[in-house]
Amino acid sequence: MYLTLSILFALVFLYSILAGGLERSSFSGALLFTTAGLALGPIGLDTLELNIQTEGLKLLAELTLALVLFTDAANTNLTVLRRHIGLPLRLLLIGLPLTIFLGIGAGLLVFPGVSAVEIALLAALLAPTDAALGKAVVTSPRVPPMLRGSLNVESGLNDGICVPVVLSLLIIATEPETAQSFRQLAIPLIIEELGKGAVIGVVLAWGGHHMIEFANKRGWIRETWRQITIIGLALLCFTAAQAFGGSGFIAAFVGGLVYGIYRRPYKHEFLAAAEGTGDAFALVTWVIFGAGVMGPALFLMTPEIVLYALLSLTVVRVLPVYLALLGTDLRPVERLFVGWFGPRGLASVVFAIIVLDEAPDNVGILTATAVTTISLSVVLHGLTAKSFTRIFKQNLPKQTET
């Protein structure tokens, strides 16, 4: 166990001192750490002793995603977002449903032996995007702020929206007799989870801000505890929402938006530690994913699985986004850019683990396809993030954030 922990901490330490240089290259942290996990895992050097259960990996991925969602939302430029709110709304209300429906159509063609409900489950669990995997895009000054903000908000909310959809479809896949009541089952669950998550996120972030403000003015927050404050608030939003039947991911993202509304000189000081912790958790998650999940999945890959994964990352994502953004001021190259940068990450990892635990009839195909799609996304989006942002340097006038 200690050898495994020492390897993990060594990787985090090395990345922390090299991050500035690596982030200017085409090799993202997710790509490097997934590759390291694959190389050091059972199908490689077999030096990582990963006895972590699926529930443990799920919890790690959930907490990491919640922390990343909160900090990303808190750093969102709300002035730009309010000015261009129509873009993320189009992506969520038009692009996301179209992505799921097109994913279902592609799955029915590629996997004729798999039931329609299981195909729908696969399409839904692969629909959420992950801004953390496209960090080079959502933080690049070359990319217009409205596009960065839209991608960030889309990725922050679509996983929360997909949670009740995935859970409803999973119930039907494992208990076919509930299929007749899908509409009665899904719609109330979606409304309840989203509503509770949003309310809990708003209340806790608003209250947390005022408590921080009150304590900070009186000098009660010691220097060392400033590193913990936002981490505690972000994870409180997530866990409280989960405990009361809401979507923890929605609560974390909405909570981050509320916290980010308030302007104060110490805002980024408090957020910095939480961002670093979220990044470190994410990198450890990707090592475990590479060693314990991606490695074994390689033996289950088939041409059909690889074909669906490629379709999921290209046509299934790009076409709905392109159609959703018709009628906006975005040019075709910009719509294609937004469509391409829909990487699959931690949310899909969490959903795949949930499906693996429940074990529907075709669990092997579903999880192998999900893992293959996520793995290809880590590679393809990681390698293209930097190079694709260069199109804006030539094609767009210089834009500044306000």
Side-chain angles (χ1 to χ4, degrees):
M1 180 181 76
Y2 289 110
L3 176 60
T4 296
L5 290 175
S6 67
I7 292 173
L8 291 176
F9 288 131
L11 289 172
V12 171
F13 169 73
L14 289 173
Y15 189 82
S16 71
I17 62 177
L18 300 173
L22 291 173
E23 287 173 1
R24 289 192 292 269
S25 71
S26 296
F27 299 98
S28 66
L31 174 58
L32 293 173
F33 275 64
T34 302
T35 304
L38 191 62
L40 298 172
I43 70 168
L45 299 176
D46 199 18
T47 56
L48 289 177
E49 299 177 9
L50 294 173
N51 295 319
I52 187 169
Q53 300 297 313
T54 54
E55 186 63 30
L57 179 55
K58 173 174 169 283
L59 180 60
L60 174 62
E62 283 182 336
L63 295 179
T64 301
L65 181 57
L67 194 51
V68 171
L69 288 174
F70 188 97
T71 55
D72 283 353
N75 283 316
T76 299
N77 189 318
L78 295 176
T79 302
V80 175
L81 177 60
R82 282 193 295 267
R83 193 181 304 152
H84 303 284
I85 190 63
L87 293 182
L89 287 179
R90 282 171 172 263
L91 293 174
L92 291 167
L93 300 180
I94 302 175
L96 180 59
L98 286 178
T99 296
I100 295 176
F101 287 130
L102 193 55
I104 294 172
L108 292 174
L109 291 175
V110 176
F111 302 116
V114 180
S115 71
V117 173
E118 290 174 317
I119 292 297
L121 177 61
L122 177 64
L125 74 87
L126 287 175
T129 57
D130 186 350
L133 281 184
K135 195 168 185 178
V137 171
V138 296
T139 60
S140 173
R142 290 176 175 168
V143 181
M146 63 176 179
L147 294 187
R148 279 186 275 149
S150 298
L151 288 169
N152 197 32
V153 171
E154 180 204 11
S155 67
L157 294 177
N158 60 14
D159 39 24
I161 293 172
C162 287
V163 167
V165 177
V166 169
L167 294 180
S168 299
L169 290 168
L170 185 56
I171 291 172
I172 296 171
T174 53
E175 301 175 22
E177 64 275 9
T178 63
Q180 298 299 322
S181 59
F182 174 71
R183 184 176 302 174
Q184 293 81 0
L185 176 71
I187 295 178
L189 184 60
I190 291 172
I191 295 174
E192 180 181 4
E193 289 214 2
L194 299 187
K196 284 185 178 180
V199 170
I200 290 172
V202 169
V203 171
L204 290 179
W206 179 85
H209 157 72
H210 287 288
M211 292 173 69
I212 293 171
E213 189 82 355
F214 181 84
N216 194 60
K217 286 180 179 178
R218 287 155 180 78
W220 293 351
I221 306 179
R222 293 179 179 270
E223 193 69 29
T224 50
W225 285 100
R226 289 173 179 261
Q227 315 304 313
I228 305 298
T229 306
I230 299 304
I231 297 174
L233 180 58
L235 298 184
L236 173 61
C237 289
F238 172 77
T239 53
Q242 294 288 105
F244 288 98
S247 170
F249 300 131
I250 291 291
F253 190 79
V254 171
L257 285 176
V258 171
Y259 180 80
I261 289 173
Y262 299 100
R263 297 180 180 273
R264 49 244 186 263
Y266 56 84
K267 172 183 172 181
H268 293 291
E269 177 189 353
F270 276 67
L271 279 172
E275 289 183 75
T277 302
D279 288 344
F281 279 7
L283 295 179
V284 171
T285 303
W286 287 118
V287 173
I288 297 173
F289 174 78
V293 180
M294 182 179 174
L298 290 176
F299 296 102
L300 299 175
M301 286 187 188
T302 64
E304 292 79 12
I305 287 175
V306 175
L307 173 60
Y308 185 87
L310 290 172
L311 288 173
S312 179
L313 297 176
T314 54
V315 178
V316 170
R317 160 71 184 181
V318 176
L319 181 58
V321 169
Y322 194 93
L323 294 175
L325 297 178
L326 288 175
T328 67
D329 293 333
L330 298 182
R331 294 177 299 163
V333 67
E334 296 166 344
R335 294 196 289 270
L336 290 173
F337 178 87
V338 174
W340 169 242
F341 281 103
R344 311 308 195 273
L346 292 174
S348 293
V349 170
V350 172
F351 293 156
I353 293 170
I354 294 173
V355 170
L356 185 61
D357 278 345
E358 294 296 327
D361 291 341
N362 290 287
V363 62
I365 292 176
L366 298 181
T367 54
T369 305
V371 170
T372 302
T373 306
I374 297 165
S375 303
L376 285 173
S377 178
V378 168
V379 175
L380 296 177
H381 290 108
L383 291 177
T384 59
K386 279 290 181 183
S387 58
F388 277 32
T389 59
R390 296 192 181 102
I391 66 173
F392 293 102
K393 187 176 181 180
Q394 298 176 349
N395 295 331
L396 290 177
K398 184 178 180 180
Q399 300 189 40
T400 57
E401 298 188 40
T402 58

